[in-house]
Amino acid sequence: MPAGHRFYGWQTPRVLTRLTYFYIDFQDPCLIWNPASPSPRLLSRLFFFDQAVWDTAFKLKAEVGNSGLESRQYAQALSLVLMHELIRLERRTIISTKPLSGGLPAWQQKRVVEFIEENLADDISLATLAELVD
């Protein structure tokens, strides 16, 4: 999640869920960044897949429990690589984004959003939402 944004949600897992969170501060002076260019902006994403990001994140996750100077330096380098992989992914997404056609009209989207916001504490099925827009 980009700085200044909040993430919240819920789930009913069927199996044990394992999560790893990474926080990358683009304002951190330890990160090598061109001071002449503005800090990059990343879009919020959930449920995306990119092999390079996944591989780098997996390596970084493996270093979390290790101590020692070499391990810390390696983790910092991986953090920097992960940051650049996310920026690369962002650039590729912006370039390849095409306007989508179809979907719900704006009035139906508004109705669905309002319904979900009013019923956040409840389990909402897709069938319920489908009835809502009919």
Side-chain angles (χ1 to χ4, degrees):
M1 292 301 304
H5 290 76
R6 290 178 36 174
F7 173 77
Y8 57 91
W10 72 95
Q11 64 176 342
T12 308
R14 296 179 188 196
V15 296
L16 180 62
T17 304
R18 292 182 179 202
L19 300 170
T20 302
Y21 295 93
F22 296 108
Y23 175 79
I24 300 174
D25 184 0
F26 287 105
Q27 304 302 321
D28 187 344
C30 295
L31 294 176
I32 301 169
W33 195 254
N34 181 357
S37 66
S39 295
R41 291 274 186 217
L42 300 178
L43 295 174
S44 300
R45 291 176 191 271
L46 191 60
F47 304 123
F48 72 95
F49 180 80
D50 182 82
Q51 190 65 51
V53 171
W54 179 254
D55 291 341
T56 307
F58 187 72
K59 290 177 192 175
L60 187 55
K61 179 183 173 190
E63 286 300 314
V64 169
N66 297 334
S67 60
L69 181 60
E70 289 177 2
S71 181
R72 182 178 171 89
Q73 290 173 337
Y74 183 56
Q76 286 177 341
L78 286 172
S79 298
L80 185 59
V81 170
L82 181 60
M83 178 190 71
H84 283 282
E85 291 292 353
L86 291 169
I87 292 167
R88 176 196 53 82
L89 180 64
E90 189 71 21
R91 267 195 309 251
R92 189 175 64 192
T93 302
I94 290 171
I95 291 169
S96 66
T97 302
K98 296 179 183 176
L100 300 175
S101 61
L104 295 175
W107 69 271
Q108 286 180 327
Q109 290 178 19
K110 182 179 177 187
R111 191 170 177 188
V112 169
V113 168
E114 288 172 353
F115 180 82
I116 290 172
E117 287 175 349
E118 290 170 3
N119 298 283
L120 278 176
D122 302 329
D123 288 335
I124 303 171
S125 70
L126 289 177
T128 303
L129 294 177
E131 290 173 11
L132 187 66
V133 296
D134 281 342

